[in-house]
Amino acid sequence: MSRLPRKRYLIDQSALYRIRGKGQFKAIIGIEWDSVPSLLDANLYRVWQNDKGREIQQPIGKLEKLHKRIGDLLARIELPDYLFSQRGRSYADNARQHVGEIPLIKTDIHKFYPSTTRAMVYRMFVEDFQCANDVAGRLADICCYRQAHLPTGSAVSGRIAFFAARQMFDSISNLATSQGCNMTAYVDDITISGEAASKTLLGEVRKIVHQYGLKTKQAKSKTFSATAAKPVTGAVIAGDQLRLPNVRHKKIHEVRQELAAAPILEKPRIQRALRGRLQEAKQILG
């Protein structure tokens, strides 16, 4: 049985909008006001380093459920059309917005989640969600690792990072539109295509990011000519087509080799891994 698409609504229709008291806080968030401090212990996070050496902070137990609750409420809010890291869209859909022989620029926000501080989350709940100051403080504490910044492995971080930086993304989108360009965002990746997508425009985009207290890196801020192959969020744009990056071709080949040489008991696991990689490739190649 397929699930019906969930209705989205404006931010001022969200259950998180204008939470003013402790009773309302309990009814919406599902936790007693005075029990919040007990959920702020760093031991309620599983912390490890992933394959790329990045520290992952994943909430566990009651805190994980609380993050999922808040994340679910945030996921019901209507999002701008330029944002492709949302339900029903993929990184391949993001790249497809920029196909064609047109210039392209891209950058990304450096350490987006760790750079989204408690102060930014607090401001978001006060200014954008119109919550009472003490409620905003409680929500910011719940959502932030060590009450410092968004955790890198939480279900709530993607939505909060976007809403906390919504004005920045809107400013970049408006700048791109004013230049006759198309802008999309996928989590921390910003891509702009159009005849005016130049080093000058890229510099203006990076300046906006910095004005909002976030950073971009020179090495990941790039311009591409109209006819160049353009890597965008896990795909490669070649003219009017999306292609699979060489690294993905290589990984599929490696998994197939591993499957061929594996003992029988290991084959089911490797077959699942292969199906996952082929499914990813299908998203890009159609």
Side-chain angles (χ1 to χ4, degrees):
M1 182 176 177
S2 62
R3 296 176 64 184
L4 293 173
R6 176 179 288 164
K7 184 180 178 181
R8 298 268 180 91
Y9 38 65
L10 298 177
I11 194 170
D12 62 4
Q13 300 299 309
S14 170
L16 292 169
Y17 190 74
R18 289 186 66 83
I19 303 177
R20 311 300 290 179
K22 296 178 182 179
Q24 192 182 7
F25 175 88
K26 178 186 175 183
I28 293 167
I29 306 302
I31 188 172
E32 293 282 354
W33 179 267
D34 292 336
S35 66
V36 170
S38 68
L39 294 173
L40 305 184
D41 194 316
N43 289 327
L44 287 176
Y45 284 87
R46 176 178 169 243
V47 181
W48 78 96
Q49 285 198 340
N50 67 9
D51 294 340
K52 296 181 179 179
R54 295 175 184 165
E55 184 175 282
I56 307 299
Q57 305 113 13
Q58 180 186 15
I60 58 176
K62 289 183 179 179
L63 185 61
E64 181 184 22
K65 291 179 181 178
L66 205 54
H67 279 211
K68 286 181 178 178
R69 167 66 178 163
I70 296 170
D72 183 61
L73 293 172
L74 289 169
R76 301 178 192 184
I77 299 171
E78 192 172 277
L79 296 167
D81 196 48
Y82 64 70
L83 186 67
F84 277 78
S85 47
Q86 58 173 295
R87 189 170 294 161
R89 293 178 166 186
S90 70
Y91 62 88
D93 294 326
N94 179 70
R96 284 191 187 93
Q97 306 309 302
H98 303 282
V99 296
E101 292 193 343
I102 48 176
L104 181 145
I105 58 176
K106 69 175 190 175
T107 189
D108 69 15
I109 301 164
H110 182 57
K111 295 184 177 179
F112 192 23
Y113 295 172
S115 297
T116 304
T117 63
R118 181 197 180 278
M120 294 169 67
V121 178
Y122 172 79
R123 181 212 58 77
M124 177 199 78
F125 281 121
V126 170
E127 296 181 7
D128 300 326
F129 285 84
Q130 296 286 299
C131 291
N133 290 349
D134 57 349
V135 170
R138 277 286 201 257
L139 289 171
D141 285 342
I142 288 169
C143 294
C144 290
Y145 175 63
R146 293 183 179 272
Q147 295 71 65
H149 58 75
L150 289 179
T152 52
S154 169
V156 81
S157 294
R159 283 286 180 270
I160 289 185
F162 172 73
F163 283 116
R166 171 72 186 263
Q167 292 178 14
M168 179 199 73
F169 284 112
D170 285 350
S171 295
I172 295 170
S173 177
N174 291 338
L175 172 64
T177 300
S178 74
Q179 299 297 311
C181 293
N182 178 38
M183 173 268 198
T184 64
Y186 193 89
V187 190
D188 56 356
D189 287 315
I190 297 167
T191 308
I192 298 174
S193 60
E195 294 302 325
S198 63
K199 286 185 178 179
T200 300
L201 184 59
L202 179 58
E204 292 179 28
V205 169
R206 296 184 70 198
K207 184 178 179 181
I208 290 173
V209 174
H210 295 184
Q211 285 172 346
Y212 282 88
L214 297 168
K215 295 179 181 179
T216 58
K217 275 199 163 184
Q218 182 71 39
K220 292 192 175 182
S221 301
K222 298 182 178 180
T223 61
F224 297 89
S225 67
T227 57
K230 310 173 188 87
V232 175
T233 56
V236 175
I237 297 171
D240 291 326
Q241 294 183 327
L242 278 192
R243 293 183 180 172
L244 206 61
N246 288 338
V247 65
R248 289 181 183 265
H249 279 297
K250 182 181 178 183
K251 285 180 179 178
I252 289 171
H253 176 69
E254 288 172 349
V255 174
R256 280 179 167 148
Q257 284 187 317
E258 184 184 1
L259 180 62
I264 292 175
L265 290 177
E266 285 292 308
K267 285 186 182 292
R269 176 187 62 81
I270 300 170
Q271 284 172 336
R272 287 194 296 272
L274 179 59
R275 281 196 298 270
R277 295 208 174 275
L278 292 174
Q279 187 60 37
E280 280 189 347
K282 188 178 178 181
Q283 280 191 44
I284 296 171
L285 299 174

